Structure formats: C-alpha cells, structure tokens
Amino acid sequence: MDRRHALEQIKNYIHDLFKDEPSGHDDVHMTRVASWAKYIAVKEDEDPFLCEVTALLHDVGDRKLFSEPEQAVHERDKLLVDLGFTEEEVDSIAEAIRTVSFSKGMVPKSRLGEITQDADRLDAIGAIGIARAFTYGGTINQPIYKKDRKDAIDHFHEKLFKLKGLMHTESGKQEAEKRHQFMLQYLEEFHREQACREETSHVTE
Ligand code: ADP
Ligand code: NI
C-alpha cells in the first residue's frame, strides 16, 4: 500500500465529510486528534500510521453527527479496503473507533484504541477543549452559565476535569496535566468575573 497516497485520500474524505460541522467536530478537530495520535504513537513505540488513520476516522459514524451511522461506517470501511488496508487492519481500526466515546463509557481493548481515545480526549480539554465545550453547548441551546439550569460550566465538572485521570498513555497524561491546570485557572477567572457582577448587581439594577 502507498501510505502517503492513502493518507491523502483519507484526509480528503474527512475534509468533505466534516468541513461544515458546526459543533466542534469539524475536519480540523480530526486533524488535531490525528497529529496527537501520531505523536503519542511515536513516543509509545506503536505504529504512527495506523494511529493517525484511526484518529482521522474516529468520529465517522458517531450517532450524534450522522443521520445514517451504519451507512457512514460501511463507506469508511469500503474506502479502507479500496486503499489497500488488510481485513485485519480494517477490523482493528473499526474496533478502536467503537471504544473511543466518553459518553458510551467503553474501555479500549487495544493500544490503538487507547491512543486514539487519549488523543480525542486531549482535544476536549485545555484552551481548545474550552472553546469546543461552548461551541457544542451553543448547538444544543445550552447556556454558558445559569444557576438553575444545566450549563456548559457544569460540563467541566461532569466530564472535562475527569479526563486527566482517565488517560492511558504517559505522553497523553503529561499533556493532559498542562491542559487541566489551564482549565482550573480559566474557571477561577470565570467565577471571579461572575462573582464581581453578582456583588455589584444591587448597585446597578
Ligand atoms: P463523546 O466522547 O462523549 O462522544 P465528544 O467527544 O463527541 O463526546 O464530545 C464532543 C465535544 O463536545 C467535547 O469537547 C465535549 O466536551 C463537548 N461536549 C459534550 N457534551 C457537552 C455538553 N453537554 N456541554 C458542553 N460541551 C459538551
Ligand atoms: Ni472526536
């Protein structure tokens, strides 16, 4: 198989599928996750090519993004076969992707799945993760912050602060630590600004 050609074709396919996705799962999310998966794979002595390909494809067939997920998965696998991936490779890519999602609460069975999950989780935390949480919140009409409603700030506690402790790889953990600290700082400032408004509201309202 010509790996360079395969990667180029897969990137084109991902660009076409996700370029207009509005909730933080656009093609740039896929390429960021793919770069991190490749980086982690090199550090962990795993196959960087297979990790990059799996990461590029990790959101194909996601139920919240596709109206016909089975069809999308079928097309994904057909592309891989056409590009020369073996049946065994296609199966391990598909298996790794099935276990990526946090909400499904699945645990990866392979190193490929663990690396893909770590790379995807890195993109949910830190400065980029904060941006994605608010963007996702916007697409589901969720407020940024409201005392009496589920808001995007709740999501930090329900998911984002847990991810650091769920990383599988050493290099994933190191990067997650930095991003976790940044989110703590961010929330501290967020609440300072919010409290400031609340303290002065009796003067202005
Ligand atoms: P999962 O891993 O559960 O499949 P995703 O990785 O697809 O979820 O989540 C996509 C992005 O949207 C992540 O950055 C995540 O933090 C964010 N997100 C998911 N649910 C919410 C929510 N209720 N409020 C704000 N952001 C959310
Ligand atoms: Ni993703």
Side-chain angles (χ1 to χ4, degrees), residues 91-105:
D91 285 350
S92 41
I93 291 169
E95 170 58 29
I97 293 175
R98 267 197 294 278
T99 58
V100 164
S101 169
F102 175 88
S103 48
K104 287 189 224 142

Side-chain angles (χ1 to χ4, degrees), residues 25 62 64 101-103 120 124 132-133 136-137 140 142 155 159-160:
H25 300 79
D62 186 307
K64 65 182 169 308
S101 169
F102 175 88
S103 48
D120 190 34
R132 293 184 68 229
Y136 188 86
I140 59 167
Q142 175 180 259
H155 186 67
K159 173 176 172 187
L160 306 186

